[in-house]
Amino acid sequence: MGALKYIITVESDTPPKVMLGQSIFGGEVVGLTMEKIPTLVSVAWLVEKYGMTKATIIKRLDGFNQGSDGKFMYDSKTAIAILSQSPKSKRGAKRVN
């Protein structure tokens, strides 16, 4: 069986101190990529990053829209902070009055 590929994601203001060829946790670093996050992000960008539906993202970021009525644009730091939080799990049956 060949070597397996593992992906480690680091979000930081400064680049991590990792070098190509460096041995980390029993494996060798063979590639590094960097993704630039824009200041304003669209719903399509958030759908691709988080795998949620468009309606779910628009609903969760309802008060933070910075675009027009038809174009939903969000501040990237705010959107990532809100969408990275796991939703609170609601357990049990609904209460009947």
Side-chain angles (χ1 to χ4, degrees):
M1 186 159 125
L4 298 174
K5 179 179 179 181
Y6 299 95
I7 299 173
I8 299 171
T9 304
V10 178
E11 292 184 9
S12 173
D13 293 332
T14 59
K17 294 180 176 150
V18 178
M19 305 294 267
L20 289 175
Q22 182 179 359
S23 178
I24 298 176
F25 303 114
E28 182 180 347
V29 177
V30 294
L32 296 171
T33 59
M34 182 179 72
E35 176 187 9
K36 180 152 175 66
I37 299 175
T39 306
L40 284 177
V41 293
S42 65
V43 175
W45 189 87
L46 293 169
V47 166
E48 183 180 321
K49 183 167 176 76
Y50 289 100
M52 297 178 180
T53 64
K54 182 178 176 181
T56 302
I57 291 174
I58 292 172
K59 182 179 175 185
R60 288 186 69 182
L61 298 174
D62 186 33
F64 302 99
N65 185 15
Q66 294 183 355
S68 62
D69 291 335
K71 188 167 188 171
F72 298 97
M73 300 292 286
Y74 304 101
D75 178 52
S76 60
K77 291 181 180 179
T78 305
I80 290 171
I82 292 171
L83 294 176
S84 295
Q85 296 173 356
S86 60
K88 297 177 183 174
S89 62
K90 299 177 182 176
R91 299 185 303 179
K94 290 186 177 181
R95 182 175 162 185
V96 180
N97 291 333

